[in-house]
Amino acid sequence: MREHSNDLVLIARNINSARLQQDITPVVLEEKCGVTMSTIYRIERNEQEISLKTLLSLAVALNMTPEEVFKGTSLDVNNQDISIFKK
């Protein structure tokens, strides 16, 4: 459960970083994806868990790849041991 919680923190941080790097305000992001500004703030402060639908809406609006969304989490493909797929 702890890993799940940590993943949510990292996903929220990745979304916030992408928004700030693109100089997009929560108001503009709300207009782009339909997620309310208050929800965006709560997600970024890790005060609210994020649904898959909301995560996808935010990621698309921020032009984020799955790798960018999950960077640093247990779902980060760069952190996975994929040796079972290598010959």
Side-chain angles (χ1 to χ4, degrees):
M1 184 70 162
R2 184 172 177 86
E3 186 173 288
H4 171 74
S5 177
N6 189 49
D7 284 348
L8 293 175
V9 170
L10 293 169
I11 290 168
R13 186 177 301 152
N14 293 340
I15 290 169
N16 178 258
S17 293
R19 183 178 65 76
L20 294 176
Q21 287 174 353
Q22 296 176 46
D23 200 29
I24 296 175
T25 66
V27 173
V28 171
L29 187 53
E30 176 181 27
E31 292 170 359
K32 289 179 80 168
C33 69
V35 177
T36 66
M37 186 175 62
S38 61
T39 298
I40 293 166
Y41 278 128
R42 287 193 307 270
I43 290 168
E44 289 183 346
R45 291 191 306 252
N46 200 40
E47 296 173 356
Q48 176 177 329
E49 287 197 9
I50 189 167
S51 70
L52 182 56
K53 179 180 177 183
T54 300
L55 177 59
L56 291 173
S57 295
L58 291 169
V60 168
L62 292 167
N63 298 311
M64 295 178 76
T65 65
E67 291 82 7
E68 292 168 326
V69 172
F70 297 113
K71 182 180 179 183
T73 71
S74 64
L75 300 172
D76 185 342
V77 294
N78 294 316
N79 289 340
Q80 301 296 316
D81 179 9
I82 57 171
S83 58
I84 61 170
F85 297 111
K86 297 178 183 175
K87 291 187 176 188

